[in-house]
């Protein structure tokens, strides 16, 4: 069981920056993929960014060039640097970990509680 704790959400003006952090309860070396998702009011949860254990990243088109995901395995932490924030980035941001259990040939998903990001116009 992987536990995730997000932090860094805040109220910020449009054009500003925030950095979200997600601390994992165990070594991230054993976690295959870490990611950030978000859910805006009245909308479904959507993928924001992913980073695999080898450092490969991918982003939603809406955040490319503005957001950067990174991971620090020594600190068991993944980050989401968000620049040039827009009001439409307002959402609850969730950290996700995907782990593959080879003994059972199965994947498991783990989620944090979420952190609120509000961007004012």
């Amino acid at each position: 069981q992987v536990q995730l704790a997000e932090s860094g959400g805040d109220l910020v003006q449009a054009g500003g920056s925030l950095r979200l952090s997600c601390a994992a309860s165990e070594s991230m070396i054993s976690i295959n993929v870490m990611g950030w998702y978000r859910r805006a009011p009245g909308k479904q949860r959507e993928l924001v960014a992913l980073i695999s254990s080898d450092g490969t990243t991918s982003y939603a088109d809406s955040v490319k060039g503005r957001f950067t995901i990174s991971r620090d395995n020594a600190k068991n932490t993944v980050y989401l640097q968000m620049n040039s924030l827009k009001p439409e980035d307002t959402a609850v941001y969730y950290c996700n970990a995907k782990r593959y259990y080879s003994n059972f040939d199965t994947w498991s998903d783990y989620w944090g509680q979420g952190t609120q990001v509000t961007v004012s116009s």
Side-chain angles (χ1 to χ4, degrees), residues 20 33-40 43-52 56-64 66-69 78-80 82 88-98 109-111:
L20 305 183
V33 182
M34 296 290 296
W36 288 95
Y37 292 72
R38 68 186 181 187
R39 177 176 285 153
K43 295 186 177 181
Q44 291 188 333
R45 185 170 58 197
E46 64 175 358
L47 171 67
V48 176
L50 296 174
I51 184 166
S52 64
T56 302
T57 59
S58 61
Y59 298 90
D61 287 343
S62 59
V63 307
K64 279 182 183 176
R66 300 188 298 122
F67 291 11
T68 302
I69 188 171
V78 64
Y79 303 98
L80 184 68
M82 306 185 294
E88 51 263 44
D89 294 317
T90 294
V92 178
Y93 284 71
Y94 298 91
C95 181
N96 171 262
K98 299 183 189 302
D109 265 300
Y110 302 96
W111 294 92

Side-chain angles (χ1 to χ4, degrees), residues 4-57:
L4 304 170
E6 303 100 333
S7 62
D10 206 345
L11 169 64
V12 63
Q13 287 189 335
S17 298
L18 281 176
R19 188 176 82 157
L20 305 183
S21 300
C22 172
S25 61
E26 62 181 70
S27 172
M28 290 203 308
I29 294 176
S30 64
I31 299 174
N32 302 83
V33 182
M34 296 290 296
W36 288 95
Y37 292 72
R38 68 186 181 187
R39 177 176 285 153
K43 295 186 177 181
Q44 291 188 333
R45 185 170 58 197
E46 64 175 358
L47 171 67
V48 176
L50 296 174
I51 184 166
S52 64
S53 55
D54 65 0
T56 302
T57 59

Side-chain angles (χ1 to χ4, degrees), residues 91-109:
V92 178
Y93 284 71
Y94 298 91
C95 181
N96 171 262
K98 299 183 189 302
R99 183 175 180 181
Y100 176 68
Y101 294 88
S102 58
N103 289 348
F104 304 100
D105 189 24
T106 186
W107 288 85
S108 288
D109 265 300

